[in-house]
Amino acid sequence: MRATIAADAVARLLSRPAPDNRETLDLLFAGLRRVLVREAVGEQVYDDLEAVLGEYARPGPYEVSVAVAARLREVAATLVEEVVAYVVEPYPVGAVERLTAVCAEQPCARDARGHLVRLALAVLEILDLLGDDVL
């Protein structure tokens, strides 16, 4: 759900003098990073991670695993392309390489569950690097 702001309200806000100190800019960038991460990740990823890695996770039919893997790959691509470079310092080369490698795998049906677990763990590793302050 996105908030809508009237054009006149935006004009009033933009016409106000803005502080230009480092503390204010850091606060502004932190807020922008939180928005970027939330829009990129969404809520479905947490449901998918729970379905794969949760205490009560059970292997589902192959078709379900394929659908979950596709959603996790989509989130992974978004995280790598749009989020990690702007949020995590220093850039997590190892974690991104692991995620990219797992995303590139094309497992056969008998290996689908193991692949799905590896993919979920790689996505979770990146989410952990983002930290609680941006999620």
Side-chain angles (χ1 to χ4, degrees):
M1 179 177 188
R2 294 181 185 231
T4 304
I5 301 175
D8 60 326
V10 172
R12 283 195 312 271
L13 289 172
L14 292 175
S15 65
R16 290 182 181 174
D20 61 354
N21 60 32
R22 180 68 183 183
E23 182 179 312
T24 302
L25 291 175
D26 287 344
L27 184 62
L28 174 65
F29 286 134
L32 290 173
R33 283 192 298 269
R34 277 193 294 278
V35 169
L36 178 66
V37 171
R38 285 187 182 145
E39 285 185 359
V41 173
E43 294 298 318
Q44 179 66 45
V45 71
Y46 297 106
D47 294 338
D48 289 340
L49 290 173
E50 181 66 27
V52 176
L53 302 173
E55 181 178 357
Y56 301 105
R58 298 283 184 256
Y62 177 73
E63 295 77 22
V64 172
S65 295
V66 170
V68 171
R71 287 194 301 269
L72 289 176
R73 276 192 197 94
E74 185 177 320
V75 166
T78 302
L79 286 172
V80 170
E81 293 170 5
E82 299 178 17
V83 177
V84 174
Y86 300 109
V87 178
V88 180
E89 290 182 19
Y91 188 80
V93 175
V96 170
E97 286 176 346
R98 283 187 290 281
L99 180 59
T100 304
V102 173
C103 285
E105 293 176 6
Q106 296 297 322
C108 62
R110 73 170 191 268
D111 297 331
R113 179 70 183 158
H115 171 263
L116 187 58
V117 169
R118 289 191 305 279
L119 179 58
L121 287 171
V123 169
L124 185 60
E125 180 182 10
I126 297 291
L127 290 175
D128 285 346
L129 288 172
L130 294 176
D132 293 335
D133 58 328
V134 295
L135 297 176

